[in-house]
Amino acid sequence: MFWWPAEAEWADRLASEPGTGHLNPLNPKTYQVFTNVIHDVAALFPEPFYHSGADEIIPGCWKADPTIQTFLSNGGTLSQLLEIFINSTFPYIVSLNRTVVYWEDVLLDANVKVDPSMLPPENTILQTWNNGPNNTKKVVASGYRAIVSSSDFYYLDCGHGDFLGNDSQYDQKAGNKTENGGSWCGPFKTWQTIYNYDITYGLSDEEAKLVLGGEVALWSEQADPTVLDARIWPRASAMAEALWSGNQDKTGMKRYADATDRLNEWRYRMVARGIGAEPIQPLWCIRNPGMCNTVHPFV
């Protein structure tokens, strides 16, 4: 089905992008397929985690199904549908000695979410992506461990426009421009933006201990192997240094000037290995270390 029918409001869309289709929690075959997939994946990978998704459930898709229509007309709710799915899959994943990772939506979505009692923190990790440090705070304040993938800082696909063939936001008057790069999560996340983000911002010391780390994301709507290297590198390297070594010196000052020199050198090492990493400065700057810095703060 077409993902956003012309007669439908955005809230009634069938998907947030093409193509459409959700798993049906009321269909027994869903669990036959799902448990087979979980079993196969768990057998392939020895890591003690299994990511079970559960982000961005679009109610319009479920509401289009006759069996779910009947369920809802009999007093059932969309959140109960998700609870049926979680109840039918979470225990099986745990039985395979896996900790279950979900996107934050499973608890924080405004419309479709489960009761926290269904997801014991000892068996659950939540991956945050929306609303910056605020959602990370909500997750850890509830006692859950967190993986931070904030779309405001760690989404590498942002700022490259949109993939819709008839995107009206590009129909601008002369002299105007789309400030966010035309993508919902724009603008482009520079390596400096990534490097300077503190994934424990606003957390107490005890809450910060529940943040396991971070993960950059490159979603594939407008990325394929031809641009893969440049989209990932060296921005992912900036995130790696910030998380492994910190982004501040012993006095608490951000060290992005020093990081620029290190990242330049590392970028050229990657290029020498055949990795098409994106340049972060003109060649003159690399040949004259420190001469492209400034002693004047901008903010």
Side-chain angles (χ1 to χ4, degrees):
M1 300 175 69
F2 191 75
W3 65 288
W4 186 9
E7 69 278 4
E9 299 292 335
W10 175 250
D12 298 321
R13 67 196 184 279
L14 300 178
S16 289
E17 63 181 59
T20 56
H22 281 8
L23 297 174
N24 186 344
L26 300 182
N27 186 340
K29 190 172 183 180
T30 294
Y31 304 105
Q32 287 182 330
V33 174
F34 198 75
T35 53
N36 285 338
V37 170
I38 295 170
H39 178 272
D40 290 351
V41 171
L44 282 171
F45 298 101
E47 288 80 6
F49 309 102
Y50 186 93
H51 204 306
S52 199
D55 65 314
E56 295 194 88
I57 292 172
I58 308 302
C61 184
W62 275 352
K63 290 178 181 179
D65 180 82
T67 58
I68 292 180
Q69 289 172 2
T70 301
F71 176 83
L72 296 175
S73 65
N74 289 331
T77 67
L78 294 168
S79 290
Q80 286 173 343
L81 284 170
L82 180 58
E83 289 180 347
I84 291 170
F85 179 79
I86 298 295
N87 267 332
S88 301
T89 55
F90 181 86
Y92 179 69
I93 301 172
V94 173
S95 75
L96 298 176
N97 297 316
R98 297 295 190 272
T99 297
V100 191
V101 183
Y102 292 108
W103 288 103
E104 60 180 25
D105 310 43
V106 74
L107 289 183
L108 301 184
D109 187 83
N111 299 311
V112 188
K113 57 189 173 184
V114 304
D115 189 277
S117 63
M118 298 181 59
L119 299 176
E122 62 269 21
N123 300 120
T124 309
I125 296 169
L126 297 182
Q127 188 165 1
T128 69
W129 66 276
N130 205 7
N131 206 22
N134 297 312
N135 279 10
T136 304
K137 176 77 171 181
K138 290 179 181 178
V139 165
V140 298
S142 299
Y144 290 95
R145 290 164 289 171
I147 299 168
V148 177
S149 295
S150 172
S151 59
D152 292 338
F153 298 90
Y154 286 169
Y155 272 28
L156 303 184
D157 54 302
C158 301
H160 291 277
D162 197 86
F163 63 89
L164 299 178
N166 54 344
D167 193 337
S168 60
Q169 63 185 319
Y170 291 103
D171 185 13
Q172 301 285 333
K173 295 180 180 179
N176 290 347
K177 63 180 181 179
T178 304
E179 293 182 359
N180 67 355
S183 62
W184 72 270
C185 57
F188 181 87
K189 313 307 176 190
T190 67
W191 78 263
Q192 295 97 329
T193 298
I194 294 168
Y195 185 83
N196 286 305
Y197 185 46
D198 178 4
I199 63 174
T200 60
Y201 177 78
L203 306 182
S204 68
D205 291 342
E206 288 303 309
E207 290 172 336
K209 293 177 182 178
L210 293 174
V211 177
L212 301 181
E215 181 181 20
V216 291
L218 176 63
W219 303 109
S220 59
E221 287 92 338
Q222 293 165 280
D224 65 14
T226 63
V227 300
L228 188 66
D229 283 358
R231 295 279 172 89
I232 295 177
W233 307 111
R235 290 188 292 165
S237 302
M239 186 252 217
E241 174 171 310
L243 295 192
W244 280 107
S245 306
N247 57 16
Q248 302 176 15
D249 63 21
K250 293 180 179 179
T251 69
M253 294 291 292
K254 290 287 181 71
R255 53 182 188 179
Y256 37 80
D258 293 340
T260 304
D261 295 336
R262 285 191 296 276
L263 207 56
N264 269 326
E265 180 181 353
W266 178 240
R267 184 261 171 177
Y268 275 94
R269 289 185 185 182
M270 288 192 285
V271 171
R273 297 178 182 181
I275 298 170
E278 183 179 54
I280 66 169
Q281 281 188 321
L283 182 59
W284 190 91
C285 300
I286 294 128
R287 290 174 173 170
N288 297 271
M291 292 294 286
C292 290
N293 293 336
T294 175
V295 295
H296 299 282
F298 287 104
V299 291

